[in-house]
């Protein structure tokens, strides 16, 4: 049986702090720590590959600049992570959604696989889920409901930016089995 070092994930991926991260990753890690007041374990894993750490941070910034409201952005991120079964990201994105004042009922519905009471947000969640499950080929019915709810072709592309971002983190977390940071533990989730 392999002994797990406190500076690695259960599957042996390194958890880099700023001091021991590859030099090219340090500016990204410093920016993340400055922004959030902590260095999430996900970024400690990403640090092994500076381009991955930078890409994820950049995609996050780009997604935050979309025309989707903060609530809609959080619906997208939590829905992707639930659909992909990423326990780390569901917990982390739930914490972020709560900080963004997303109503508990909205996030709880996504986490529990129930419809969201808000019809527009439910159309968004269904669209996101279908995009992920069909690898970018949602049904005509799902697309129609998305557009009828008031979303546009621009929003389709914005959702895809979110899917790109979360696919990167969800898949890394699947391989690394990234440990849940203490601030995210109250929002632990399992598929």
């Amino acid at each position: 049986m392999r002994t797990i070092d406190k500076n690695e994930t259960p599957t042996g991926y390194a958890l880099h702090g700023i001091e021991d991260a590859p030099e090219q990753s340090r500016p990204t890690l410093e920016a993340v720590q400055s922004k959030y007041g902590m260095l999430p374990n996900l970024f400690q894993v990403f640090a092994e590959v500076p381009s991955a750490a930078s890409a994820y941070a950049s995609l996050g910034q780009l997604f935050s600049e979309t025309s989707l409201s903060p609530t809609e952005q959080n619906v997208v991120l939590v829905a992707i992570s639930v659909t992909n079964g990423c326990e780390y990201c569901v917990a982390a994105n739930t914490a972020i959604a709560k900080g963004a004042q997303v109503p508990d009922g909205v996030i709880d519905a996504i986490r529990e696989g129930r419809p969201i009471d808000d019809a527009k947000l439910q159309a968004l969640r269904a669209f996101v889920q279908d995009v992920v499950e069909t690898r970018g080929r949602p049904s005509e019915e799902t697309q129609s409901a998305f557009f009828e709810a008031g979303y546009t072709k621009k929003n389709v592309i914005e959702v895809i930016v979110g899917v790109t971002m979360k696919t990167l983190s969800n898949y890394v977390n699947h391989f690394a089995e990234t440990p849940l940071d203490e601030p995210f533990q109250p929002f632990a989730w399992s598929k």
Side-chain angles (χ1 to χ4, degrees):
M1 182 172 195
R2 188 172 82 74
T3 303
I4 298 173
D5 184 289
K6 68 178 178 119
N7 294 322
E8 66 181 38
T9 71
T11 56
Y13 287 81
L15 290 169
H16 291 286
I18 293 171
E19 319 74 42
D20 71 330
E23 191 170 333
Q24 300 90 336
S25 289
R26 291 178 189 165
T28 301
L29 299 184
E30 289 167 350
V32 168
Q33 184 163 351
S34 175
K35 181 176 181 177
Y36 296 107
M38 64 175 282
L39 185 57
N41 289 336
L42 172 61
F43 274 97
Q44 292 183 45
V45 172
F46 271 140
E48 185 70 27
V49 180
S51 60
S54 176
Y56 188 70
S58 295
L59 285 166
Q61 180 60 41
L62 292 171
F63 187 65
S64 74
E65 296 169 3
T66 64
S67 67
L68 297 169
S69 72
T71 294
E72 290 169 326
Q73 289 175 16
N74 281 285
V75 166
V76 169
L77 299 179
V78 175
I80 294 164
S81 296
V82 166
T83 305
N84 281 330
C86 182
E87 295 176 3
Y88 181 93
C89 282
V90 171
N93 287 120
T94 298
I96 292 166
K98 289 199 179 273
Q101 307 301 310
V102 176
D104 289 341
V106 171
I107 298 303
D108 291 346
I110 299 168
R111 288 170 53 105
E112 296 166 10
R114 294 183 288 105
I116 300 171
D117 290 338
D118 180 300
K120 184 172 184 184
L121 293 178
Q122 176 56 30
L124 174 62
R125 180 263 197 98
F127 179 75
V128 168
Q129 184 175 351
D130 206 6
V131 167
V132 173
E133 289 176 342
T134 63
R135 296 183 187 102
R137 293 182 173 90
S139 71
E140 289 296 325
E141 180 183 341
T142 302
Q143 289 181 64
S144 292
F146 181 72
F147 294 129
E148 287 170 13
Y151 292 104
T152 66
K153 290 182 179 182
K154 175 181 178 177
N155 298 136
V156 169
I157 297 169
E158 291 173 333
V159 164
I160 293 169
V161 172
V163 171
T164 302
M165 173 190 161
K166 291 301 353 169
T167 300
L168 178 59
S169 64
N170 292 172
Y171 287 13
V172 167
N173 287 322
H174 293 331
F175 280 96
E177 294 180 15
T178 308
L180 203 53
D181 304 88
E182 189 175 327
F184 305 148
Q185 288 176 4
F187 310 108
W189 174 89
S190 62
K191 191 165 176 105

